Amino acid sequence: MPRFIGALDTGTTSTRFIIFDDEGTPYATHQIEFAQSYPFAGWHEQNPKEIIESAHTCINGAVAEFVKKGYKASDIEAIGITNQRETTLVWDSVTGKPLYNAIAWPDTRTSRLVHAFKAKPGADKVFHLSGLPLSTYPSALKLVWLLYNVPEVAEAHKNGTLCFGTVDTWLVYNLTGKKKYVTDSTNASRTMFLNINTLQYEDFLIDFFGVRGVLFPELICSADDSAFGVIEEGANVLAGVRICSCLGDQSAALVGQKAFEVGMGKNTYGTGLFLLYNTGTKPVFSKNGLLTTVAYNFKGAAPVYALEGSIAVGGSAIKFLRDNLKLIDDSDEVGQLAAAVPDAGGVVFVTAFSGLFAPYWIDDAQGTIYGITNYTTREHIARATIEATCYQTRAVLDAMQKDSGYELKALKVDGGMSNSDVCMQIQADVIGIDVVRPSYRETTALGAAIAAGLAIGVWSGLDDLEKVNKKGETTFSSVITEKKKEKMYSLWQRAVERCAGWVQVDEEDEDRLTEEKRQESSVSLSLK
């Protein structure tokens, strides 16, 4: 009889619950989307009640499917949780009711606050304490915005009843009947309140952001057999089952890919790309625009850190070919077109639709296609689009190796674009190391299940995970010469250099920027 673990995966737009056996095989799943709200330009909110309701719905739905296959709900020994990171929620500790919508991680309403806080004394200490640069991305300034702009939040803060949490905390708090107010270090490391070196809340950061008096969840390990509590009676069909793990989604994907050795990394090919690179038990601070984060922190073992790099444009470039240029009717056609030619015919597509992110950070670049001649076909452009993603991945991996001092051993991959054999072969050629693609690619949920299983002894240790999600694994190895690889990459680097500086500010833009600076100065004054 196999042993079963459930994984609750609450992403940015949907929630799903998947039941796995001890070899990583999924037996049942249920997924639903929840509403997204965009009240103003740059704002992105979610209903906290819908988030927890979607969790109950997905658990009940997957268990019903599981039971239909002849199993019992009681066969599920524990559940793990993985979640969208940085998304910020606030609620009252007395009533347990949310005080505002969840502010989702892509929300940019805090952009002016970012500029204001960068000008504050002590701002230079933030990166080396938290591992994160001041930006709209982490949770800290989202909480500051709520304190400044929502009277109910300010009142709860004054009364000492203001609870802050990320999605993991909100889920556990509600699933346990408000008995557990906790978070794990992978999620806490994305808030800017955690000292990345000690994995404890940092007084300097709490005071820097002016959030003294806010209630913060208890810090616990990512995998623990008792610290997360049990699902409350009557909430759903798994009442009484232990919650035994919790990890932020990108950390969960690293665990799901079993990238446990120093120098191993994973790349998730979605709309954008997220690369995590295992750097071992000591944090490594990047000099090349990467983030320092907690990879995982299992009970009884030293915490493991990672460097993280993000690429803004991945699958969205394929969507651009389909929706804007009308070169394809379906996203899957890109791989077919790219496979029809041996190379890109000298075409290089720098997909800098919003500038270039890590490791370049070129804000004034725009999307540019170089090398077009009478010989160029849509097949060449399709291949150049795929190559753009692969070249940027190499650039981030090179930066990670420089920062960490470790050479990447293998790149584990998942996400939509990883389904393309052509894309993965090009990726292996460009980086010159093996690209490993599992048969089952929902590695975020699998990572949460693995962490929970380790906590309760389904697996005795990391070495015992060898068989998990191993069947059908595909390895892509480089098939081109070192000389050709470097020639291709050199051409990409030349293109990147040439696309910089394309965006120029005219007089109208100058007036707009002057007004924004004036408003930022007003915000700065209000912070003093």
Side-chain angles (χ1 to χ4, degrees), residues 418-465:
S418 72
N419 293 323
S420 168
D421 288 358
V422 175
C423 180
M424 294 300 96
Q425 184 58 58
I426 292 172
Q427 186 67 87
D429 290 338
V430 166
I431 62 178
I433 60 174
D434 287 351
V435 171
V436 182
R437 182 182 67 190
S439 175
Y440 183 73
R441 288 158 215 163
E442 301 298 345
T443 54
T444 302
L446 180 59
I450 287 174
L454 287 168
I456 64 172
V458 171
W459 302 284
S460 60
L462 302 183
D463 292 339
D464 203 22
L465 293 165

Side-chain angles (χ1 to χ4, degrees), residues 186-445:
T186 67
N187 281 291
S189 69
R190 313 301 295 190
T191 64
M192 292 194 95
F193 297 126
L194 189 79
N195 185 317
I196 198 71
N197 304 283
T198 65
L199 300 190
Q200 298 296 321
Y201 291 122
E202 173 58 49
D203 286 338
F204 172 83
L205 294 172
I206 289 171
D207 291 334
F208 178 80
F209 290 108
V211 295
R212 180 70 63 183
V214 174
L215 302 176
F216 288 87
E218 178 188 356
L219 292 164
I220 59 177
C221 294
S222 309
D224 192 296
D225 61 347
S226 61
F228 292 99
V230 301
I231 298 176
E232 70 169 325
E233 295 293 331
N236 58 52
V237 294
L238 293 185
V241 173
R242 286 181 290 173
I243 303 169
C244 291
S245 74
C246 195
L247 301 102
D249 52 9
Q250 299 307 320
S251 289
L254 190 78
V255 172
Q257 290 278 20
K258 299 180 290 182
F260 298 123
E261 296 180 23
V262 174
M264 294 185 74
K266 72 91 191 172
N267 195 11
T268 298
Y269 295 75
T271 301
L273 279 71
F274 289 92
L275 290 89
L276 258 68
Y277 185 98
N278 185 326
T279 58
T281 56
K282 292 183 179 180
V284 173
F285 294 93
S286 176
K287 297 179 181 179
N288 296 282
L290 307 177
L291 309 181
T292 303
T293 195
V294 179
Y296 52 88
N297 182 13
F298 297 156
K299 183 179 178 180
V304 173
Y305 293 89
L307 284 170
E308 180 173 332
S310 59
I311 295 168
V313 178
S316 55
I318 310 300
K319 185 178 179 182
F320 172 79
L321 297 186
R322 184 192 67 193
D323 298 344
N324 295 48
L325 299 187
K326 310 296 183 183
L327 289 183
I328 54 175
D329 296 321
D330 187 87
S331 297
D332 292 339
E333 289 181 50
V334 171
Q336 299 169 20
L337 291 174
V341 289
D343 52 49
V347 175
V348 180
F349 187 2
V350 183
T351 53
F353 299 156
S354 304
L356 285 171
F357 284 15
Y360 303 108
W361 302 110
I362 304 174
D363 295 330
D364 57 4
Q366 284 191 332
T368 315
I369 302 178
Y370 294 95
I372 293 180
T373 67
N374 288 334
Y375 172 69
T376 302
T377 66
R378 65 175 186 150
E379 285 81 4
H380 293 126
I381 293 175
R383 193 174 183 96
T385 305
I386 291 176
E387 287 181 353
T389 297
C390 299
Y391 289 137
Q392 290 179 82
T393 297
R394 170 169 170 178
V396 171
L397 290 175
D398 285 352
M400 288 179 169
Q401 183 174 332
K402 291 176 183 176
D403 285 329
S404 68
Y406 294 107
E407 186 175 352
L408 187 72
K409 297 177 180 178
L411 181 65
K412 307 291 188 75
V413 298
D414 52 65
M417 288 182 71
S418 72
N419 293 323
S420 168
D421 288 358
V422 175
C423 180
M424 294 300 96
Q425 184 58 58
I426 292 172
Q427 186 67 87
D429 290 338
V430 166
I431 62 178
I433 60 174
D434 287 351
V435 171
V436 182
R437 182 182 67 190
S439 175
Y440 183 73
R441 288 158 215 163
E442 301 298 345
T443 54
T444 302

Side-chain angles (χ1 to χ4, degrees), residues 20-39:
F20 294 97
D21 72 1
D22 49 9
E23 290 190 356
T25 304
Y27 275 64
T29 184
H30 191 86
Q31 180 171 352
I32 60 171
E33 293 186 356
F34 52 84
Q36 309 295 311
S37 176
Y38 308 95

